[in-house]
Amino acid sequence: MVGVPRPCGRPIGGVLLNQLARRLLASLPAYRVIALAFTVLAVAGAVAILVQAELLARALADGVLSRSGAEALAGTLALLAGVFAVRAGLSWAQQALAQRAAASIKASLRRRLLRRTQELGPGWLTGQHSGALTTTLGRGLDALEPYFTGYFPQLFVAAVVPLAVLVRLAVADLASAVIVLVTLPLIPIFGILVGLSTKRATERQWRSLERLGGHFLDLVAGLPTLRAFGRARAQAVAVRRTADEHRVATMGTLRIAFLSALVLELVATLSVALVAVPVGLRTLDGGMDLETALLVLLLAPEAYLPLRALGSQFHASTEGLAVASRAFAVLDEPDAHGAADSGRPERAVVARAHEAGAPCVVRFEGVSVRYPRRDEPALDDLSLTVAPGERVALVGPSGAGKSTLLNVLLGLVVADAGRVTLTKADGAELDLDTVDVQELRRQLAWVPQRPHLFARTVAENIRLGRPDAGDDDVVRAARLAHADEFVTDLPRGYDTPLGERGAGLSAGQRQRIALARAFLRDAPLLLLDEPTAGLDAGSEAAVVDATSRLMAGRTVLVVAHRPAMVADADRVVRLEHGRIVGGSDRTALGVG
Amino acid sequence: MANRSARTRYGPIRRMLGMLRAHLGRLVLAVSASVVTELAALALMGTAAWLLARAAQQPPLAALSLAIVGVRAFATARGVFRYGERLAGHDAALRALATLRGRVYDALVPLAPSGLPAYRSADLLSRMVSDVEAVQDLVVRVLVPVSTAVVVAGVAVGFTALVLPPAAVVLAIGLALAGVVVPLLMVSAARRTARRLAPARAELAERHTDLLHGSADLAAFGATEQALTDAERAGERLARLERGTALTTALGGAGSMLVQGATTVAVTVLALDAGSLAGVMVPVLALVALISFEPVLPLVPAVQRLLESRASMRRVLAVLDARPPVAEPASPLPAPGRDVTVELRSVSVRYPEASRDAVDGVDLRLTPGRRVAVVGTSGSGKSTLLACLMRFIEPSAGTVLLNGHDVRDYDGDDVRAVITGVTQDAHLFHTTIRENLRLARPDASDDDLLGALELARLRDWVSSLPAGLDTEVGEGGGQVSGGQRQRLALARALLADPPVVLLDEPTEGLDPQTADELVADLLATTRGRSTVLVTHRLFGLDGVDEVVVLHAGRVVQRGTHADLVAVAGPYQDLWWASHPAPASK
Ligand SMILES: Nc1ncnc2c1ncn2[C@@H]1O[C@H](COP(=O)(O)OP(=O)(O)OP(=O)(O)O)[C@@H](O)[C@H]1O
Ligand SMILES: Nc1ncnc2c1ncn2[C@@H]1O[C@H](COP(=O)(O)OP(=O)(O)OP(=O)(O)O)[C@@H](O)[C@H]1O
Ligand SMILES: [Mg+2]
Ligand SMILES: [Mg+2]
């Protein structure tokens, strides 16, 4: 899905402010205030430009013709210095303001995008290259900066300054004004044409960088595997190829940008030459005084400059726009419930009605799950009722749908058909479809089949589900998980920072940290997906013992392959091809 | 690691320049074109001003014709040369950038696996994606603008000196203020923040990958909000730094503009008061002064970029200079053939900072065809032992011999060509089943692939998939079940078919029946190959030649399954623990 941004609407107002830009600007909290401020700054800037040219022309003309000396022009010169100071101040104010706008829009997009990835959930994320997403979220959104610090404020300048200059020119010398007036529109017209052709190229450029990021992160994670099979060096070729693709794509967009800059520059400079030469000739035959001639010479470039700058700012910001369209594509991604980028208020209402801690009946009724691009359903019209306090062991061959079943209950996978309900002791029935997932998850502790350990300390990893738990509780949970022993052996005990994905621990040790995490959570409903995977028989026995003590009075769904874990269950349910095929007593497992 | 390259302050920049040497031609082209562009701009305004001023004195037309031609020529030259400059400069920069990206990857390869955890992958990603761009910025935003500014400023001052020496002094001072003093002031103001920017970006990327990789765990444990808040906070920290540098840059820019104005006014005053000066030269001097600042103004952001580039480059160099945990020999022995004898002689491994050895004085001899099982409690050093055999870790004591030679004398890749297999955290890449398998043998045919899948008991499943071998497995293999993931890794190792097969818990996550059948199959098909099987399941171990029991890194028992089960000891304990005797229940 990466790299296939959905079409984001055709430009309405040309490239200057297309639909995408509008949507982008709509994310700016104080858009009106900022726009107003930029307008004021642009107007002030235009006035300063006019005054500066006026004063400079007067002083210089005097210098050429009357030579009355600096003394006589003291007032003009002092004023000139003042105008320079004002222009410096305006440029500072514009940049400061633009920077603020850029920072706030980046932060807000980043926040929304990140939140959206979490709403779309692990099911969606497994289909994405996380390196590509990280690249978009970081370096990508940073590319919006030139848009807001360059292009956006320049829009206001470009709208105001050329007009002001043109009016002043018309007053000074109509002929020059006409030349400028005729040539000036060439710039935006050409700019729009170029802008349209840039869009595709920039998107390609951005996609290649995203691919580089996605590819790279996957490779880094898999480097040990690549090395094990002697393929690491071979992949270097692929990395270089992707990096080179990005170079070529970037050069492609730059070539367009530079060519357009060349044309704009030529139009502008030749127009200035077009203005300057006749003005010079007219000065020669006395048709124009020198002060006016100098004023025209100083002003004419100022009419073109803002539009030319707008052109180059546009090119600098196209990458940001490509990222924005990618970001909006993620925000618009429909989630499993079919809603895009919206909180579900109706769920919050239900949540309040649902108080924590009550043991419930968990009922699956005709639940089916079919993953995209798979023929066979992972769960097929499955019905299962788990009584409060009951301990159910799920067994069955690999791929039978055991983990999927737990994931449905966790709200990580949404069923295509059927209902999952929780019935409380007082008979109130909650449908998983309407209950607030957060609230539901508060009732659950989960040991996933492949737990994710964060690059934090051991204690922080254990505290994941109860950040406020005291040290004693953490140690107690670790003891239950048979982890305390090796943790205290670590260089800094519970404060030892782990590497990414728990690097620095053995596989079984990581598993035990995940167990401790679930034990600390202390929830009424336990979902254990092969909790003793990777443990030796001795550790397993200890963990099973601890778990069965913990399971007392709680509802438990445990996926188990090992007999020790199954032995403690009240009921064994056997899954095959997404259906329950039997079970009910332990012998169905063939455990001796 | 970081200290080594950080020792000299300008080291990183010098090394970046070294990387650009290959593109020297383009760089020279870019700089000269840029200089010509700015000089043309200067000449354009100067000539135009002269033209007007001279015209006002109403000379014969012929006196002006040269200037008229000049105005047109300079106008065209400016546009054309700017185009050339940008093309050449960016081309050189982007080439250097792509090369550098390749080198970053190359440098990471020998770090895996034991040297990699020193970095977070998100941090590496941001080095690979963002920090390397320092080399591009160095060219486009620093090298070209600075050299242009120096030349153009020199020409402007020289020209002014010929016409009116005092004005040249003023102009020189002004240019030095705007081009040197203001940027230097900024350096002292922004140095600290610039250094913190790149790490702040990396930290933000880490928070992002936490959320992307750990989303299921975070969600299930109600920790998503907290993680989002953490990420937001990291974002705010970065934004604060960025705001700080942006405001300094804006302030520096405004300061330079102020200097530009003051200098222009001062030059004008001097020109107006210089009685000896021809009148026509007054506007020329004033405009030359004004325009000569144009290439100097960008020096403020250039210096800012230079600071940031240096910090970024240092991060890139830290990766390029990182010392691999396992050194490769300067002149390796020829690769071993398929008859391989491996021997561990009292090998010990100690991880950095650990208080005890993870593997402690282990002896092991694997003659061709010999099969050994390694069992033991979790954390007893089984996987570490395999890592040692694969030459992923350097033993802290003892030697590993390969066909009688110290394994350190072989190229690591040659060692792994004969000793490899399934590691415990085998990675599935975000691509198709086919590509994941072919990693082990790029020339494997579909039949080979299906054969390996058959052995791993996955063939039926793969055939049932609509896309078959072309099914995508998702990020980290997230779109297949745990047991399927495990067996895909196994199939891949079987496809590699090395003379010495290492299998680290190949049946973990499978139901007991499948697991037992699989182990039996494995032992049958790898007959004739040396095999090291690490397992927690003791079924089927009567088929191996030797069982080694590890505890806390030491070999506590070894012998055949039959011998070991018969005597009281750790192995018997493990056996009974996994076979609860009816009486004990
Ligand atoms: N995200 C996904 N996208 C597509 N297919 C999936 C996805 N997750 C699981 N599957 C498929 O759904 C089926 C059931 O998977 P599930 O993980 O529930 O199996 P399981 O019973 O837990 O197996 P195991 O014991 O191997 O963990 C498998 O065939 C698997 O390939
Ligand atoms: N990268 C590492 N850095 C520091 N210590 C490590 C690292 N990897 C493993 N260890 C430690 O070394 C010891 C041996 O680990 P190893 O992974 O070899 O155990 P194992 O026998 O394979 O265990 P398991 O059965 O759980 O996989 C453990 O105590 C572990 O904490
Ligand atoms: Mg599973
Ligand atoms: Mg291990």
Side-chain angles (χ1 to χ4, degrees):
Chain A
M1 221 167 270
V2 170
V4 195
R6 290 129 53 90
C8 47
R10 45 182 52 228
I12 299 174
V15 276
L16 295 184
L17 261 189
N18 59 20
Q19 195 175 323
L20 175 66
R22 270 163 223 231
R23 184 158 176 202
L24 196 56
L25 291 173
S27 332
L28 202 57
Y31 174 70
R32 272 163 212 288
V33 180
I34 290 174
L36 186 69
F38 278 144
T39 313
V40 170
L41 285 173
V43 170
V47 171
I49 286 171
L50 295 185
V51 174
Q52 179 186 320
E54 197 86 52
L55 293 171
L56 202 55
R58 185 180 308 156
L60 296 182
D62 185 82
V64 176
L65 299 176
S66 47
R67 312 255 23 194
S68 46
E71 199 94 16
L73 289 168
T76 309
L77 291 172
L79 220 63
L80 187 60
V83 173
F84 273 116
V86 168
R87 286 190 73 182
L90 289 175
S91 120
W92 183 82
Q94 194 211 47
Q95 274 314 297
L97 189 65
Q99 166 61 30
R100 205 165 274 278
S104 86
I105 202 141
K106 262 164 49 183
S108 108
L109 261 183
R110 200 166 264 155
R111 187 167 43 234
R112 281 170 55 199
L113 198 55
L114 207 53
R115 200 166 277 280
R116 187 71 194 138
T117 61
Q118 299 305 298
E119 284 166 5
L120 289 166
W124 180 80
L125 282 170
T126 56
Q128 304 289 312
H129 287 270
S130 51
L133 281 175
T134 312
T135 305
T136 302
L137 281 161
R139 160 76 173 66
L141 291 181
D142 282 339
L144 276 174
E145 190 120 2
Y147 186 89
F148 284 98
T149 57
Y151 183 72
F152 184 55
Q154 192 63 35
L155 267 179
F156 294 85
V157 176
V160 173
V161 172
L163 208 66
V165 169
L166 210 58
V167 170
R168 182 66 189 86
L169 272 183
V171 171
D173 175 37
L174 201 57
S176 304
V178 169
I179 296 179
V180 174
L181 184 65
V182 171
T183 50
L184 201 56
L186 287 177
I187 293 187
I189 290 173
F190 184 74
I192 288 170
L193 288 178
V194 170
L196 289 177
S197 70
T198 324
K199 189 162 172 273
R200 185 91 64 61
T202 324
E203 269 167 13
R204 188 166 55 235
Q205 175 197 352
W206 174 247
R207 238 176 291 146
S208 65
L209 186 64
E210 228 185 19
R211 193 160 47 232
L212 181 74
H215 191 181
F216 179 75
L217 200 60
D218 200 21
L219 285 183
V220 168
L223 260 187
T225 301
L226 286 174
R227 287 198 94 197
F229 296 111
R231 298 294 295 164
R233 299 273 166 215
Q235 283 298 319
V237 178
V239 169
R240 287 202 158 72
R241 197 183 327 112
T242 325
D244 213 51
E245 270 166 26
H246 178 245
R247 176 186 71 82
V248 171
T250 309
M251 257 341 261
T253 60
L254 288 179
R255 224 170 257 126
I256 301 176
F258 297 159
L259 199 64
S260 90
L262 168 65
V263 173
L264 299 188
E265 174 123 13
L266 284 182
V267 170
T269 40
L270 288 178
S271 307
V272 172
L274 219 56
V275 170
V277 173
V279 163
L281 293 179
R282 274 166 41 220
T283 317
L284 182 65
D285 57 28
M288 184 185 274
D289 63 300
L290 180 61
E291 188 181 329
T292 314
L294 280 174
L295 179 67
V296 170
L297 176 70
L298 289 173
L299 277 183
E302 298 285 359
Y304 297 96
L305 192 64
L307 286 170
R308 251 176 55 213
L310 190 67
S312 61
Q313 303 283 16
F314 172 75
H315 287 292
S317 62
T318 46
E319 192 187 27
L321 287 181
V323 175
S325 92
R326 172 84 185 100
F328 287 133
V330 173
L331 289 178
D332 294 340
E333 193 83 44
D335 65 14
H337 299 273
D341 192 18
S342 67
R344 260 167 249 99
E346 76 275 22
R347 292 196 163 207
V349 178
V350 182
R352 252 178 274 128
H354 184 72
E355 84 263 4
C360 4
V361 180
V362 180
R363 187 172 286 128
F364 292 82
E365 287 172 53
V367 172
S368 294
V369 171
R370 190 188 295 272
Y371 290 106
R373 292 178 301 280
R374 295 288 148 98
D375 277 348
E376 290 194 16
L379 288 181
D380 188 5
D381 193 19
L382 177 138
S383 299
L384 175 69
T385 306
V386 184
E390 191 182 21
R391 290 170 289 178
V392 174
L394 292 169
V395 301
S398 166
K402 306 179 293 294
S403 302
T404 303
L405 184 70
L406 297 193
N407 285 337
V408 167
L409 194 51
L410 280 159
L412 297 175
V413 167
V414 177
D416 299 315
R419 254 155 57 91
V420 181
T421 55
L422 305 170
T423 314
K424 296 199 294 176
D426 60 12
E429 195 181 79
L430 298 166
D431 196 315
L432 200 64
D433 248 3
T434 53
V435 74
D436 176 34
V437 198
Q438 310 286 348
E439 188 60 33
L440 170 78
R441 286 174 185 158
R442 220 158 283 158
Q443 320 279 312
L444 300 171
W446 179 47
V447 177
Q449 189 165 17
R450 190 165 47 158
H452 183 86
L453 297 193
F454 296 89
R456 305 283 179 96
T457 66
V458 171
E460 281 170 319
N461 267 291
I462 296 179
R463 279 204 182 96
L464 184 69
R466 242 179 78 192
D468 54 348
D471 288 348
D472 288 352
D473 292 331
V474 171
V475 173
R476 195 170 311 124
R479 282 219 180 96
L480 280 173
H482 207 53
D484 180 60
E485 200 180 328
F486 77 80
V487 172
T488 44
D489 255 7
L490 292 172
R492 275 187 271 164
Y494 284 89
D495 294 326
T496 310
L498 294 183
E500 216 165 20
R501 298 168 198 273
L505 296 181
S506 84
Q509 291 169 340
R510 273 174 276 177
Q511 182 69 20
R512 284 178 276 167
I513 300 289
L515 274 165
R517 186 188 268 179
F519 288 164
L520 184 66
R521 177 86 161 157
D522 193 25
L525 181 51
L526 278 174
L527 304 179
L528 311 174
D529 203 343
E530 298 192 54
T532 58
L535 295 188
D536 59 279
S539 315
E540 177 177 35
V543 168
V544 168
D545 191 45
T547 315
S548 54
R549 262 184 284 145
L550 193 81
M551 291 196 304
R554 291 168 213 255
T555 313
V556 183
L557 267 168
V558 54
V559 176
H561 288 315
R562 310 264 197 103
M565 204 77 224
V566 178
D568 260 340
D570 299 321
R571 182 152 65 105
V572 177
V573 169
R574 186 171 176 83
L575 276 180
E576 264 173 38
H577 301 292
R579 277 184 296 260
I580 294 177
V581 294
S584 248
D585 69 296
R586 275 166 236 159
T587 48
L589 240 187
V591 172
Chain B
M1 246 173 314
N3 291 341
R4 215 162 10 114
S5 54
R7 209 171 26 197
T8 53
R9 178 185 292 176
Y10 292 98
I13 306 253
R14 197 167 307 138
R15 289 190 50 194
M16 257 196 287
L17 290 175
M19 291 171 199
L20 293 169
R21 201 165 300 143
H23 311 285
L24 201 62
R26 285 193 180 82
L27 279 182
V28 170
L29 198 68
V31 170
S32 4
S34 164
V35 167
V36 174
T37 309
E38 294 298 341
L39 285 181
L42 197 62
L44 174 65
M45 276 319 254
T47 318
W50 183 86
L51 178 70
L52 295 189
R54 186 78 181 91
Q57 297 172 341
Q58 316 208 317
L61 181 58
L64 297 180
S65 56
L66 194 64
I68 293 175
V69 173
V71 166
R72 291 184 179 142
F74 291 136
T76 321
R78 196 171 107 172
V80 172
F81 278 94
R82 162 140 309 147
Y83 178 69
E85 169 239 311
R86 289 190 177 164
L87 220 49
H90 279 86
D91 199 28
L94 288 169
R95 274 170 204 276
L97 175 64
T99 313
L100 185 56
R101 286 201 163 119
R103 284 181 55 191
V104 169
Y105 173 80
D106 288 346
L108 287 177
V109 170
L111 296 186
S114 41
L116 272 188
Y119 305 94
R120 310 262 180 274
S121 60
D123 175 39
L124 289 175
L125 179 69
S126 92
R127 289 176 208 233
M128 177 75 167
V129 171
S130 312
D131 288 327
V132 288
E133 287 181 341
V135 75
Q136 179 186 1
D137 284 347
L138 183 70
V139 174
V140 178
R141 306 226 209 149
V142 181
L143 218 53
V144 173
V146 169
S147 25
T148 309
V150 169
V151 176
V152 173
V155 170
V157 171
F159 170 77
T160 310
L162 287 180
V163 181
L164 185 67
V169 174
V170 171
L171 181 59
I173 293 174
L175 288 170
L177 273 179
V180 180
V181 177
V182 172
L184 280 185
L185 282 178
M186 283 198 32
V187 169
S188 60
R191 181 181 291 146
R192 271 236 241 91
T193 30
R195 206 179 299 145
R196 276 154 52 197
L197 264 173
R201 288 206 181 96
E203 143 116 39
L204 183 65
E206 273 170 43
R207 297 286 82 81
H208 290 162
T209 41
D210 269 358
L211 275 156
L212 298 179
H213 288 149
S215 76
D217 297 62
L218 289 171
F221 284 90
T224 307
E225 277 311 313
Q226 185 56 46
L228 283 170
T229 314
D230 286 352
E232 242 163 70
R233 252 192 233 127
E236 271 160 28
R237 265 195 298 279
L238 175 61
R240 244 196 320 275
L241 290 176
E242 283 174 343
R243 192 151 45 224
T245 55
L247 290 186
T248 331
T249 311
L251 205 60
S256 304
M257 281 177 77
L258 213 57
V259 174
Q260 179 187 26
T263 310
T264 309
V265 172
V267 167
T268 312
V269 167
L270 286 176
L272 288 173
D273 279 349
S276 60
L277 191 69
V280 282
M281 290 316 277
V282 175
V284 174
L285 285 186
L287 289 187
V288 163
L290 184 68
I291 303 295
S292 67
F293 275 85
E294 294 301 328
V296 173
L297 293 180
L299 290 190
V300 169
V303 160
Q304 176 69 40
R305 277 313 295 167
L306 188 67
L307 284 179
E308 289 172 24
S309 297
R310 204 168 64 198
S312 288
M313 202 55 200
R314 202 169 280 148
R315 284 162 48 79
V316 174
L317 290 175
V319 173
L320 294 187
D321 295 344
R323 203 149 44 97
V326 178
E328 295 287 347
S331 48
L333 294 173
R338 281 196 67 89
D339 267 342
V340 177
T341 303
V342 197
E343 199 176 340
L344 300 184
R345 286 205 188 146
S346 49
V347 163
S348 299
V349 177
R350 181 181 294 228
Y351 287 104
E353 280 189 60
S355 53
R356 62 172 185 82
D357 288 346
V359 167
D360 190 357
V362 171
D363 292 297
L364 187 73
R365 195 175 150 79
L366 276 170
T367 47
R370 186 175 172 81
R371 280 103 65 78
V372 175
V374 180
V375 303
T377 51
S378 161
S380 57
K382 305 179 293 294
S383 302
T384 306
L385 190 69
L386 296 193
C388 224
L389 284 169
M390 292 174 82
R391 205 156 158 59
F392 274 159
I393 309 187
E394 194 79 78
S396 41
T399 39
V400 183
L401 296 177
L402 183 57
N403 289 347
H405 302 286
D406 192 323
V407 78
R408 275 175 290 196
D409 296 334
Y410 287 101
D411 187 278
D413 279 339
D414 289 341
V415 174
R416 285 181 290 272
V418 290
I419 310 177
T420 191
V422 204
T423 52
Q424 210 159 13
D425 333 279
H427 181 77
L428 287 194
F429 293 88
H430 191 146
T431 172
T432 59
I433 292 177
R434 185 198 310 276
E435 290 308 314
N436 266 294
L437 293 181
R438 290 218 315 193
L439 206 71
R441 221 170 82 202
D443 57 351
S445 67
D446 276 9
D447 283 343
D448 297 335
L449 301 186
L450 291 174
L453 288 170
E454 172 89 56
L455 264 179
R457 300 175 167 257
L458 275 178
R459 187 175 174 153
D460 291 344
W461 170 67
V462 171
S463 317
S464 80
L465 293 171
L469 283 170
D470 292 318
T471 307
E472 294 269 344
V473 299
E475 185 82 349
Q479 292 183 344
V480 299
S481 86
Q484 289 161 350
R485 198 158 43 228
Q486 179 74 17
R487 283 175 293 157
L488 281 172
L490 178 62
R492 180 164 64 191
L494 294 174
L495 203 59
D497 191 26
V500 182
V501 191
L502 309 182
L503 302 168
D504 201 344
E505 302 193 35
T507 61
E508 196 50 58
L510 299 183
D511 57 302
Q513 197 187 339
T514 315
D516 292 344
E517 289 168 6
L518 195 59
V519 167
D521 279 3
L522 278 178
L523 289 175
T525 48
T526 58
R527 194 169 297 282
R529 310 251 178 290
S530 311
T531 309
V532 182
L533 170 68
V534 171
T535 181
H536 287 308
R537 284 184 68 74
L538 309 183
F539 295 91
L541 293 193
D542 39 0
V544 301
D545 300 315
E546 186 184 22
V547 177
V548 175
V549 186
L550 280 184
H551 185 78
R554 298 182 152 277
V555 177
V556 288
Q557 260 185 318
R558 62 199 311 162
T560 61
H561 171 76
D563 292 347
L564 293 180
V565 175
V567 299
Y571 190 79
Q572 201 185 48
D573 295 344
L574 283 175
W575 178 254
W576 286 125
S578 50
H579 292 74
S584 73
K585 269 263 128 182

